[in-house]
Amino acid sequence: MHLIKQNIERDGSGTITLKPEDPEDMWYAYNLIQPTDLLKAQALRRVTTTSATGSTSSTRMHITLLIRVRRTDFDPQASTLHVSGQIAAETPHAKIGQFHTLDLELQRNFTLEKAEGWDSVAREVVKEACESGSKRMGAWAVVMQEGEAAIVGLGGERTVVRARVKVDVPRKKGGRGHDKGLEKFFQTLLDTLLRHIDLAEALPVLLASPGYTAGLFQKFIMETATRTGNKALLAQKGSFLVVHSSSGNVHALNEVLQSPEVQARLKDTRYTRETKLMDDFMTLLRKDDGRAWYGPKEVEMAVEKGAVGRGGGVLLISNGLFRAQDVAIRKRWVKLVDKVKDDEGGEVRVLSSEHESGKRLEGLGGIAAILTFPLADLDDDSEEEEKEEETAPNGATNTEII
């Protein structure tokens, strides 16, 4: 993501103009754009004109529209983002209040104004989105079998299939046709891989397959680099790691990422750090010593008691909670994040719902915490609090008592 222009006041009001440059940027935009925000972008809209004789004609025109967002629709497979809303500024071809869907596209600017102002979480999303590729992309993976492969980018927020390669390879091994087909497949795969990765970043590249396909591909890479004198590729020999997978399908990637050798290689990436945090949390939870709690009420109570602060306190929260349609709910979680970071001095990790660690966290309600000191019976306290909220003396609700 490229930051084109930023104009934010001290009170959080203002606009930011961004340009998505790769598919993962659409995921960041999806986590940034909320209902009631104002979004300005180019749109393709059908315009009907009436001539002096009364005849009408219809054409599709590129125009710039400002809409008040009502709904976002993100396709994770195609990395496309559709934003629906009502037109908020009249143009010669569109009236205020009309409905329109903006399709955000790569290499096209969009300008966003947050209805409730740019809070700390929204600003952090922009910061992460605009980081260089080497910081955002933790590693690359090629999951393959003979004739088929998927090139996957392991980003900070999600894993993205960047390209698929398919070349017919005769099944009869040892024959001339099979060897030529396999060589053509490897050459096509290598050419595609080099179009996507930046060798200067020296990121790990996992080569995964059942059998010996991945190992043969690594050998082909080095032989090709030697033959062509590609010094940059030769210098990255240590970046390639061959690992076994049960299949050549991209779904085998989760299995690959769980192997100890891969986790050791990726130990400095965000993906592995967050996986380890969730593992540490689950270990503490099994110990049942009061230092690991999950669930909205329980975690909020732990924060109020000062147990998620300096000295090891960690708040784990899913980015899905910040996509709530209700502004009040989003504010609730932003306030909690700010309290842990700014007031208590604790660590906050916003986990992506697209990563395995984030999915595990969503199974626990989307929020959990590792405490600096043990607290007991937070679940009992939260149940009592809920009962007090539901029922007041004489059967009246708390909202009826003055």
Side-chain angles (χ1 to χ4, degrees), residues 77 130 205 211 307 333:
Q77 299 301 320
C130 295
V205 181
W333 303 125

Side-chain angles (χ1 to χ4, degrees), residues 26 29-43 65-74 80-87 99-105 110-112:
M26 290 303 181
Y30 172 57
N31 283 281
L32 196 59
I33 300 170
Q34 304 291 330
T36 72
D37 290 349
L38 285 172
L39 176 67
K40 181 189 289 185
Q42 275 200 349
L65 291 179
L66 178 70
I67 67 170
R68 177 74 67 180
V69 177
R70 295 192 66 177
R71 187 170 62 88
T72 57
D73 180 22
F74 179 72
T80 55
L81 178 60
H82 312 289
V83 185
S84 304
Q86 289 180 280
I87 295 172
F99 285 88
H100 189 85
T101 297
L102 293 174
D103 300 321
L104 298 191
E105 300 177 8
F110 69 86
T111 300
L112 185 66

Side-chain angles (χ1 to χ4, degrees), residues 139-179:
W140 291 91
V142 182
V143 185
M144 70 182 84
Q145 58 191 20
E146 285 193 1
E148 294 184 28
I151 298 172
V152 184
L154 306 177
E157 288 287 315
R158 55 196 289 259
T159 56
V160 182
V161 177
R162 293 301 182 91
R164 292 183 186 272
V165 174
K166 188 170 184 178
V167 175
D168 287 333
V169 178
R171 291 187 177 183
K172 188 176 180 181
K173 296 187 177 182
R176 188 174 179 184
H178 175 271
D179 293 344

Side-chain angles (χ1 to χ4, degrees), residues 128-287:
E128 287 185 11
C130 295
E131 284 182 340
S132 65
S134 58
K135 290 183 179 180
R136 279 177 42 188
M137 194 61 66
W140 291 91
V142 182
V143 185
M144 70 182 84
Q145 58 191 20
E146 285 193 1
E148 294 184 28
I151 298 172
V152 184
L154 306 177
E157 288 287 315
R158 55 196 289 259
T159 56
V160 182
V161 177
R162 293 301 182 91
R164 292 183 186 272
V165 174
K166 188 170 184 178
V167 175
D168 287 333
V169 178
R171 291 187 177 183
K172 188 176 180 181
K173 296 187 177 182
R176 188 174 179 184
H178 175 271
D179 293 344
K180 280 194 170 183
L182 190 60
E183 183 178 349
K184 182 180 178 182
F185 167 60
F186 283 162
Q187 187 62 61
T188 305
L189 180 55
L190 178 57
D191 291 342
T192 306
L193 181 62
L194 293 179
R195 283 198 297 271
H196 285 83
I197 68 174
D198 184 351
L199 294 175
E201 292 178 348
L203 296 177
V205 181
L206 311 177
L207 306 178
S209 76
Y212 302 102
T213 307
L216 292 173
F217 180 53
Q218 183 192 39
K219 181 181 178 183
F220 177 85
I221 292 172
M222 291 299 104
E223 289 177 348
T224 301
T226 302
R227 187 181 72 253
T228 59
N230 190 333
K231 294 182 179 179
L233 185 56
L234 282 170
Q236 301 309 317
K237 182 178 180 180
S239 299
F240 294 96
L241 176 65
V242 176
V243 290
H244 179 269
S245 63
S246 59
S247 79
N249 191 290
V250 71
H251 296 299
L253 184 58
N254 283 335
E255 162 205 335
V256 170
L257 293 173
Q258 298 306 314
S259 69
E261 57 182 333
V262 170
Q263 291 194 351
R265 177 64 70 90
L266 303 184
K267 65 180 185 299
D268 295 326
T269 65
R270 176 177 170 180
Y271 178 94
T272 303
R273 289 196 301 269
E274 292 180 353
T275 298
K276 185 178 184 302
L277 268 176
M278 281 304 299
D279 289 343
D280 292 345
F281 172 81
M282 297 305 295
T283 299
L284 288 172
L285 191 63
R286 285 191 291 270
K287 287 183 178 179

Side-chain angles (χ1 to χ4, degrees), residues 367-383:
I367 187 167
I370 297 174
L371 313 189
T372 53
F373 53 84
L375 290 175
D377 304 326
L378 286 181
D379 46 359
D380 293 340
D381 291 345
S382 65
E383 287 176 7

